[in-house]
Amino acid sequence: VPAEGIPDVRAYPALVGALALGTGIAAAEAAGPSDPHFWSLAAAALAVLALLPGRRRRLVTLRRLRQTVLLAAACAALGGAVTAAHYDLPPRHVARVLPPTGEAEVTLEGVVAHPPVQRPTGIRFRLDAVLLRTDTRAVPVEGRVDVVLGQSSWRPPELYGVPRRGDRLRLTGLLRPPPPKRNPADFDRGRWLRRQGVFATLRVTAAQDVRYFGHHLDPLGRLVEALRRRVTGAFARYLPTDAGRALQTALVLGDRRALEDDVNEAFARTGLTHLLAVSGLHVLLVGLVLYGLLKGVLLRFGLSLRRVDVLRAGLTLAVLVVYALLTGASASVVRAVVMTALLVGADVSQRPSPPLNALGVAAFVVLLIRPTQLFEAGFQLSFAAVAGLIGLGPVLRRAVPARWQRPSGGRWLATTTAATLAATLATMPILLYHFGRLPVGGIGLNLVAIPLTSAVFAAGLLTVLLAPLPALAAPIGASADALARLLVWCAETGDAWLGGLAYEGHVVHGFTLAALVGAVLTLAAWPRRRLRVRMGLVALALAGAGVWAATLRGDARPHLDLVFFDVGQGDALLVRTPRGRTMLVDAGSTESGAARRTILPHLRRYGMKHLDAVVVTHPHDDHEGGVADLLRAGLVRRLYTNGDAFDSDTHRRTLRLADSARVPVQVLRAGDALALDPAIAISVLAPALTDAHPAETNDASLVLRIAHGRHRVLLLGDAQLAAEATLVARYDTLLRSDVIKVGHHGSRTSSSGPLMRAAARPGCTAVVSVAERNVYRLPGPEVVARWRRTCHRTHLTSAHRALWLRSDGRTLGKVAWR
Ligand SMILES: [Zn+2]
């Protein structure tokens, strides 16, 4: 590579090919379902064109350029073909038997494909479907299904046996397509499943619906299982503590199931999560050590040097491939295996291959096997980090003055610091895009934690290898355990001291993201070295400008945002005022985990650092349950209640947490106003101070009205007929509103004729917050029908998911978030 001047792309053909392949994959994913044959034909045609000799008169350089462009286009078309094939389901695929209604009660036979995961919600695993039984017939099927052995909400808890990988099971349950995303900032589990090649889910709710039919594994699967048992057996025997075993299992087998939540959390908050997986670096090191050691061993058999080289290369790769299978073949492990193969191959054939090109080959192989990995954070982080190490590391090290590097310690420090910084810079845009958080405090921690992790890994591996010799394995196991706990201590101490030091903010705009990526690329590869830093700064400034442009462009015009979350059975509404103050009315139930899964991610995603007001309309769990999680997250500035001294665990817990966090709790009454933002008026309509305590807890619900410009929003909580009658008598046409949060989840015990007549403005929107198939059989179909006749639009969260409305005081519109 010339140090100055444009890098020659022909030195890295595989890198160019991988980039083109990725472009094709992204294009096909964006285009939606398409015919794989069309893409394959295009790829073949372009490849043939590239290899045909061009017209002779052309300049040689032009001919080369034409060939490069055509081959890159062929790679892009190939990317389109493999992506289209990923989504093109064969006729016998299990997802194809789903009826148009989208779900069916079925009996499915298949083989457990992965070790199951146990969660509070149930036992989860992937099943390779074999046979589908309906009432009348049994048909052979194929395809992978995401299975949950869960609990029914109205029966006593079911006890399931935990299946093993390779078990053949017959399961009866509800077969559905992967779930849609229900709220703006929710994790899109359905899309994630489809990208993994899972196009159907099965939910089982009774232990009697699970039948065991024997164990079935192919020879390779049996080998992998036997090795896995060896490793876990050695850890169980020689590692004295649970914490040490859990960390070693994560590091050596890539199995994080036994790690405690707060350990995971500490690593995540300090930005050290990448250490909790099987690292590509370790795979590479093991491969090279093995390759080196095998030479001495094989030479003793009196083989020729050439044969020894070929043999040890083959053996090393076979061991690495089995190890990759043992650890679940993550993107970074496959990348490391491919790169080791190229390094070893280069050594055997005496033909060196530039590291960036090796990285390109690895990316090409990974994407060809499963194209949709391109969109996964794991793939992106792994490849960006290595690209950063190769491309950016030397640039940063050269920036350190030579005299500082003269002592060997200084040189080591400069190299490792440059490497850490390079990997951090290269992964920064990806972290901000996927997680919206850049743990700044943890960057320095890597300098200690990375070498420590390698020591932990090496000690763990030695424990497994020496397991047959207890006299050696015992002391090494003890030190492997101690080292593992030292690493956990490092992360936890780092978290306590530096965990809070992080840049938070999602990069959502394409322009900002492109500018950030551009800044990193410029720094690594701008042809004129002296201009690199300056050009990098220009690109960074552009990224900053991107953030401001988004703020200046319309998004920042004062408006009122109302997000009616889909929290299943329950209510949760987020109000963001024109001046950016925030109010949450109810927070969903404890059981749904809506606060953790939906509300907190939403606040983070859209840059809201706290909630100025949290209103609990009444102390039922489907309204108050999620408040505890918000209080624990330290986000609540002030809590408002209806003052009901309700006797429930949820209510006691909420008040206790608010008290210990010193969050003021205030009781609201009709006539009160919440002075959140002068641009809007929030008034409390019910209950009145003079009202007798109602027979129904629901009837004491806080009823709120929000006025912004010409728009009115009425929030009825769970008010029932008695409370509605009082409201109509007291306010009548003052209730008139454009948006109405319908009382008590659309129950028959609410939404009387007089209330609807008083509250509905022409063109109004009625919102019913309710779960599909809930135990209470809500909403009443006739109630929904009446709202449909009265209002312009009736929105059921069960059917239409979350609703995001935006008003500037004159026009009221829906924000498209899907
Ligand atoms: Zn309710």
Side-chain angles (χ1 to χ4, degrees):
V1 192
E4 302 269 329
I6 298 168
D8 187 358
V9 291
R10 268 168 299 144
Y12 316 106
L15 190 64
V16 176
L19 287 174
L21 189 77
T23 311
I25 292 168
E29 172 94 5
S34 52
D35 187 357
H37 297 104
F38 158 76
W39 290 99
S40 318
L41 273 176
L46 286 162
V48 168
L49 267 182
L51 298 178
L52 279 181
R55 263 178 291 156
R56 232 171 283 151
R57 267 175 300 152
R58 287 240 179 88
L59 288 168
V60 178
T61 45
L62 271 183
R63 214 187 297 155
R64 284 225 177 115
L65 184 68
R66 171 180 166 276
Q67 198 176 36
T68 307
V69 169
L70 282 173
L71 277 177
C75 286
L78 181 64
V82 286
T83 311
H86 175 89
Y87 290 108
D88 190 40
L89 304 183
R92 272 182 21 188
H93 198 280
V94 63
R96 291 220 171 187
V97 303
L98 284 168
T101 52
E103 57 184 49
E105 189 77 23
V106 298
T107 298
L108 197 64
E109 276 183 41
V111 179
V112 178
H114 289 299
V117 182
Q118 278 175 289
R119 290 273 159 73
T121 46
I123 299 169
R124 193 157 226 150
F125 57 90
R126 300 274 163 85
L127 185 85
D128 282 329
V130 177
L131 206 61
L132 181 87
R133 292 175 187 279
T134 55
D135 296 339
T136 48
R137 62 210 174 101
V139 279
V141 288
E142 59 184 292
R144 194 159 274 193
V145 181
D146 184 67
V147 180
V148 176
L149 308 181
Q151 304 293 346
S152 141
S153 44
W154 56 83
R155 279 199 311 265
E158 294 281 339
L159 285 175
Y160 293 100
V162 181
R164 286 177 306 159
R165 185 165 167 259
D167 280 355
R168 183 160 174 144
L169 301 176
R170 181 188 289 175
L171 305 162
T172 303
L174 195 64
L175 188 72
R176 311 175 85 175
K181 185 172 155 180
R182 306 207 67 97
N183 291 284
D186 282 7
F187 171 63
D188 196 340
R189 190 176 159 76
R191 193 173 66 183
W192 178 75
L193 282 175
R194 278 192 294 274
R195 283 180 175 166
Q196 298 207 325
V198 177
F199 294 87
T201 67
L202 185 77
R203 187 176 170 78
V204 179
T205 49
Q208 69 193 41
D209 289 341
V210 182
R211 290 268 192 83
Y212 175 78
F213 270 85
H215 196 69
H216 170 85
L217 269 181
D218 52 55
L220 192 61
R222 276 204 294 275
L223 174 67
V224 165
E225 279 302 289
L227 287 172
R228 185 178 270 277
R229 273 199 299 279
R230 270 282 157 88
V231 177
T232 47
F235 286 165
R237 212 164 346 134
Y238 298 116
L239 303 190
T241 68
D242 282 345
R245 277 195 291 272
L247 192 78
Q248 285 288 5
T249 313
L251 245 53
V252 175
L253 286 181
D255 184 348
R256 283 162 62 168
R257 289 178 294 169
L259 279 178
E260 302 272 345
D261 283 346
D262 35 338
V263 172
N264 266 323
E265 191 80 353
F267 276 83
R269 285 175 50 81
T270 42
L272 297 178
T273 301
H274 63 102
L275 301 180
L276 287 180
V278 180
S279 133
L281 179 70
H282 294 159
V283 174
L284 185 75
L285 289 179
V286 166
L288 295 183
V289 168
L290 188 64
Y291 182 66
L293 287 178
L294 278 174
K295 185 170 189 177
V297 176
L298 290 174
L299 277 177
R300 294 191 181 185
F301 290 94
L303 299 164
S304 73
L305 197 59
R306 176 87 196 135
R307 281 216 176 138
V308 165
D309 276 351
V310 174
L311 204 57
R312 68 184 173 134
L315 279 173
T316 304
L317 290 180
V319 167
L320 288 190
V321 166
V322 170
Y323 184 61
L325 290 174
L326 186 62
T327 58
S330 68
S332 65
V333 170
V334 176
R335 186 207 70 218
V337 172
V338 174
M339 289 180 80
T340 315
L342 289 173
L343 273 177
V344 168
D347 186 57
V348 171
S349 67
Q350 302 288 311
R351 243 184 261 153
S353 127
L356 266 184
N357 202 49
L359 187 69
V361 175
F364 206 94
V365 169
V366 169
L367 290 178
L368 218 49
I369 297 171
R370 196 151 62 70
T372 46
Q373 290 233 10
L374 181 66
F375 309 105
E376 280 172 24
F379 169 88
Q380 295 170 3
L381 288 171
S382 164
F383 278 85
V386 176
L389 287 178
I390 300 170
L392 208 53
V395 176
L396 294 177
R397 217 196 60 202
R398 278 200 294 271
V400 180
R403 63 196 155 85
W404 293 7
Q405 297 193 35
R406 223 155 283 146
S408 62
R411 192 177 165 73
W412 175 84
L413 196 65
T415 312
T416 38
T417 310
T420 306
L421 213 56
T424 307
L425 276 175
T427 49
M428 170 185 70
I430 300 162
L431 286 173
L432 286 178
Y433 176 76
H434 286 284
F435 310 110
R437 190 168 189 278
L438 199 66
V440 185
I443 295 174
L445 220 56
N446 276 297
L447 289 180
V448 184
I450 290 178
L452 181 56
T453 310
S454 297
V456 176
F457 175 79
L461 204 60
L462 269 181
T463 310
V464 175
L465 294 175
L466 296 175
L469 310 167
L472 282 173
I476 291 182
S479 58
D481 191 85
L483 283 169
R485 278 180 297 136
L486 182 63
L487 181 60
V488 172
W489 179 84
C490 246
E492 283 175 345
T493 313
D495 181 26
W497 286 84
L498 305 162
L501 215 65
Y503 172 80
E504 297 203 350
H506 264 278
V507 172
V508 281
H509 296 284
F511 176 78
T512 317
L513 195 64
L516 270 181
V517 174
V520 175
L521 284 180
T522 311
L523 209 54
W526 191 264
R528 304 273 300 275
R529 205 189 288 167
R530 279 200 212 133
L531 283 176
R532 268 182 193 159
V533 175
R534 257 175 259 173
M535 294 310 287
L537 285 177
V538 168
L540 262 184
L542 276 175
V547 175
W548 281 104
T551 320
L552 296 173
R553 188 191 57 211
D555 298 13
R557 213 172 51 227
H559 55 239
L560 175 72
D561 270 333
L562 304 166
V563 183
F564 294 90
F565 291 115
D566 176 4
V567 293
Q569 171 55 35
D571 271 13
L573 161 67
L574 179 69
V575 180
R576 191 187 208 177
T577 74
R579 293 198 186 169
R581 311 297 300 274
T582 47
M583 170 171 83
L584 186 76
V585 183
D586 293 334
S589 67
T590 313
E591 189 200 342
S592 71
R596 247 173 307 117
R597 268 194 288 181
T598 297
I599 302 173
L600 289 173
H602 188 95
L603 297 175
R604 228 175 288 137
R605 186 92 168 78
Y606 295 98
M608 289 169 248
K609 305 270 184 229
H610 58 260
L611 291 160
D612 295 297
V614 171
V615 180
V616 178
T617 57
H618 64 294
H620 275 160
D621 187 83
D622 57 332
H623 300 253
E624 190 179 21
V627 176
D629 282 327
L630 302 172
L631 283 167
R632 282 194 204 102
L635 290 175
V636 183
R637 286 281 168 90
R638 194 174 274 269
L639 189 64
Y640 296 96
T641 70
N642 70 345
D644 192 332
F646 192 64
D647 186 34
S648 76
D649 289 345
T650 302
H651 193 50
R652 274 192 299 271
R653 185 184 56 193
T654 308
L655 293 182
R656 199 182 55 231
L657 280 169
D659 186 51
S660 62
R662 306 206 175 164
V663 173
V665 181
Q666 193 178 329
V667 175
L668 291 176
R669 278 292 169 262
D672 287 348
L674 288 177
L676 212 55
D677 183 336
I680 64 168
I682 306 172
S683 28
V684 183
L685 304 186
L689 200 56
T690 51
D691 288 350
H693 192 73
E696 285 272 1
T697 305
N698 283 340
D699 274 329
S701 280
L702 286 170
V703 175
L704 303 182
R705 192 185 68 163
I706 304 171
H708 177 228
R710 63 162 75 138
H711 294 137
R712 302 287 176 273
V713 179
L714 182 64
L715 309 174
L716 288 161
D718 274 0
Q720 301 189 174
L721 297 173
E724 287 183 355
T726 317
L727 277 174
V728 173
R730 212 169 269 159
Y731 301 100
D732 195 25
T733 52
L734 284 176
L735 294 175
R736 201 127 289 178
S737 297
D738 307 275
V739 180
I740 301 151
K741 206 295 294 179
V742 170
H744 199 200
H745 320 284
S747 144
R748 291 181 191 85
T749 56
S750 303
S751 298
S752 64
L755 177 101
M756 289 170 77
R757 275 192 295 281
R761 249 187 193 172
C764 60
T765 299
V767 184
V768 180
S769 189
V770 70
E772 249 179 318
R773 267 195 302 262
N774 59 73
V775 203
Y776 313 99
R777 306 196 173 202
L778 296 168
E782 67 276 21
V783 175
V784 174
R786 259 189 286 138
W787 278 110
R788 287 217 165 103
R789 282 196 299 274
T790 312
C791 272
H792 172 65
R793 184 162 58 187
T794 300
H795 184 102
L796 272 75
T797 55
S798 53
H800 312 121
R801 303 177 254 162
L803 175 67
W804 186 336
L805 296 174
R806 178 169 286 180
S807 146
D808 62 1
R810 286 190 305 271
T811 52
L812 181 71
K814 222 160 106 170
V815 175
W817 57 263
R818 277 177 208 171

